[in-house]
Amino acid sequence: MSAMTEGRFISPGKMNAGMPLLEVEQNASISPYEFMPSWFFYAPVVIQSLALGLRHGDLCLPLIANPSIKLSGMVGESKTDILNLAGPVAKQWIEPFITLTKNAHNLDAQLESAMQAMNSAQLSFPIVAKPDLGCRGVGVKLLKSKAQLRDYLQTFPASARFLLQRKAPYQAEAGVFYVRYPGQEQGKIISITLKYAPSVVGDGTHTLKELIERCPRAGQLTHLYFPRHTQKLDWVPAEGEEYPLAFAGSHSRGSIFRNGNQYISPALTRRLDGILKDVDGYYYGRLDIKFADMESFMAGENFSILEMNGASSEATHIWDRQTSLFEIFSTLLKQYRILFEIGALQRKRGVKTPSLRALLQAWREEKSLVQHYPSTD
C-alpha cells in the first residue's frame, strides 16, 4: 500500500520514510485473527489472572505495577498525568504538548484561548489533537488550521480534557514495550511493533474509492476507510500521488502493524533505561515512538516519544498478519505474568492495591466519555 522504493527502507519524502519496506501479499494481507473480538484473546488471560491472584493472595496486583499512575494505567489513566511524571532528562525525548479543557464558555473565546496557549508553548499547525483520557486512537486528529481546531473544540465533549501535541518531525513509528523490575537497573524491551500508515498510490485513472477497493488489504477494510474519506471517494489522484488513508497509529483504526522484534537492540534498551528511570514510578508499558530511520533508532538516537501507556498495554506485534494464534495467546499470557510479578514486588515495597470497585468505576467513566469523542483521522 505504501510506495515501494529501491533498497531495504522507504526513502525520505515518502510516507513511512525510514521504515523497512512494507510488502502486502495478495493472499496474506490480513491475519485471520487481527480483527476478532478482544474477549476471545483475553479469556485465557482472565483465567490465568484468577490463578495468579490466588497464588499471590491479591487479584489487584497489576493495578500497582506502575505506582505513580492511576490504576497502573489499566483503565482511566490521563495521558497528561503520565507524561508529566517525566523529569528533565525524559522530557527532552517527549514531543511538546499542552493540555486544555473544553468548558461552557463561548466557543470563539475558547478557540482564542487555545491559540494563545499554543503560541505560549511555541506550538504551531499542523498539530495533533487527542483526548487526555482515551484508548486505541479514539478521537485523534491531525489539525492543519485554526478552523479545524475550532471544529475539534466544537465536537469535543464538555468538561473533558484534550492534548495538543507537536507533530513529530519523523515519519516512521513504532510501539516499544518496555519492562523493568523494581530494584533493577536494567530493563528489557519485550516487543517492537512497526506501525505503517496505510496509503494508496494514484494512477490518474481510478477514483480513491476504486483504489481502496483494488488494494489487497484496504479493500477488505473499506468499513474503516470509506467513512473517513466520504467527500473524496470520487476524486482521482494524480499518477504517483500517495494518499494517506489513516493518521492515528492504531491497529483498530486502520494502521498496519508488523513484528519488529528483530530490531530490538542493546543500545535502544540502554537509552530507554536512562529515559524511563527519570519517569517516576514507570516500570511496565508501551511507548508510542516516532523515529528518523531504523539504523539510528536501533542506536538509541533520533526519536521522540508521543505517549507512554501503562498496564493495559499490548505487545502489539501480535497483530502482524503472520503471527500464529499460539504466539498471540502466549505473548498475552507472558505479559500478564510479568505484570503480576512486578505488582508483587511493589507490594513488598509497601504499595497498597486499590479495589476492584475502583477499577470498575474507572472503566465505566472512560467508556461513557469515549462515546462522545470526535471521529478519528
Side-chain angles (χ1 to χ4, degrees):
M1 291 169 67
S2 292
M4 304 296 285
T5 60
E6 295 296 323
R8 187 182 173 195
F9 299 100
I10 299 174
S11 298
K14 300 291 186 180
M15 285 184 60
N16 305 301
M19 298 273 273
L21 291 176
L22 176 64
E23 297 179 1
V24 180
E25 301 172 5
Q26 185 73 36
N27 297 323
S29 56
I30 292 182
S31 160
Y33 313 118
E34 58 180 308
F35 291 102
M36 291 179 67
S38 297
W39 64 262
F40 176 78
F41 301 104
Y42 278 90
V45 172
V46 171
I47 295 171
Q48 176 185 257
S49 296
L50 291 172
L52 290 173
L54 289 173
R55 180 190 302 174
H56 290 284
D58 194 334
L59 189 62
C60 295
L61 289 178
L63 306 182
I64 59 171
N66 297 316
S68 298
I69 301 174
K70 178 182 177 180
L71 298 173
S72 191
M74 185 63 73
V75 67
E77 72 277 15
S78 159
K79 292 180 175 65
T80 298
D81 291 350
I82 296 177
L83 293 174
N84 283 342
L85 295 172
V89 173
K91 282 182 179 178
Q92 299 176 49
W93 295 89
I94 296 173
E95 280 297 334
F97 68 95
I98 57 174
T99 305
L100 304 172
T101 302
K102 169 73 176 292
N103 56 46
H105 296 161
N106 176 272
L107 183 62
D108 290 327
Q110 291 188 68
L111 177 61
E112 292 307 317
S113 178
M115 292 298 300
Q116 291 175 13
M118 284 179 57
N119 290 334
S120 296
Q122 297 182 320
L123 298 176
S124 59
F125 296 106
I127 198 163
V128 180
K130 61 181 76 172
D132 182 51
L133 192 157
C135 59
R136 299 183 182 274
V138 177
V140 176
K141 278 190 172 295
L142 177 63
L143 308 180
K144 300 179 180 180
S145 66
K146 184 177 179 179
Q148 290 184 349
L149 175 56
R150 188 182 193 281
D151 290 341
Y152 193 83
L153 274 166
Q154 187 170 30
T155 55
F156 205 76
S159 302
R161 296 200 304 181
F162 63 94
L163 280 69
L164 295 177
Q165 188 172 46
R166 187 179 73 179
K167 185 178 182 292
Y170 312 120
Q171 288 280 344
E173 184 171 353
V176 180
F177 205 113
Y178 174 92
V179 299
R180 180 167 58 88
Y181 286 83
Q184 294 187 1
E185 288 297 309
Q186 283 80 43
K188 185 177 182 181
I189 297 172
I190 63 171
S191 168
I192 288 184
T193 305
L194 302 179
K195 301 182 179 185
Y196 290 85
S199 67
V200 290
V201 179
D203 58 8
T205 302
H206 293 92
T207 65
L208 177 61
K209 180 176 184 291
E210 291 169 336
L211 291 170
I212 294 173
E213 291 173 335
R214 289 159 61 94
C215 178
R217 180 179 174 90
Q220 301 179 65
L221 300 174
T222 57
H223 62 287
L224 294 178
Y225 301 133
F226 280 0
R228 197 173 294 161
H229 303 285
T230 302
Q231 297 181 348
K232 304 196 75 171
L233 291 177
D234 294 329
W235 165 63
V236 179
E239 184 174 358
E241 182 176 356
E242 192 173 14
Y243 182 78
L245 300 179
F247 172 72
S250 171
H251 172 263
S252 62
R253 305 293 160 181
S255 287
I256 305 169
F257 284 8
R258 293 290 183 261
N259 188 328
N261 288 343
Q262 63 181 304
Y263 299 108
I264 296 173
S265 68
L268 178 58
T269 304
R270 286 194 298 271
R271 176 67 74 187
L272 292 184
D273 281 336
I275 294 171
L276 295 176
K277 284 176 187 174
D278 194 41
V279 179
D280 182 42
Y282 191 87
Y283 294 89
Y284 176 102
R286 191 190 68 247
L287 310 176
D288 294 332
I289 293 175
K290 288 278 193 177
F291 60 94
D293 59 80
M294 190 56 67
E295 183 178 357
S296 61
F297 187 46
M298 291 176 67
E301 302 294 342
N302 299 328
F303 68 86
S304 61
I305 298 171
L306 308 179
E307 293 184 17
M308 296 185 291
N309 305 280
S312 63
S313 302
E314 286 179 340
T316 48
H317 75 270
I318 60 177
W319 306 124
D320 185 303
R321 71 190 190 282
Q322 295 183 345
T323 306
S324 67
L325 187 59
F326 175 80
E327 184 178 351
I328 292 173
F329 282 131
S330 61
T331 298
L332 290 172
L333 291 171
K334 177 184 177 182
Q335 279 188 225
Y336 277 80
R337 287 196 299 271
I338 295 172
L339 192 55
F340 267 91
E341 290 168 357
I342 293 177
L345 291 172
Q346 299 289 19
R347 182 177 61 178
K348 288 182 178 178
R349 304 172 93 189
V351 182
K352 304 296 183 182
T353 55
S355 65
L356 285 174
R357 179 180 296 179
L359 179 67
L360 181 60
Q361 180 179 350
W363 175 77
R364 286 174 175 168
E365 291 174 353
E366 180 179 289
K367 184 179 180 181
S368 174
L369 192 57
V370 165
Q371 294 174 354
H372 301 288
Y373 287 153
S375 60
T376 302
D377 282 347

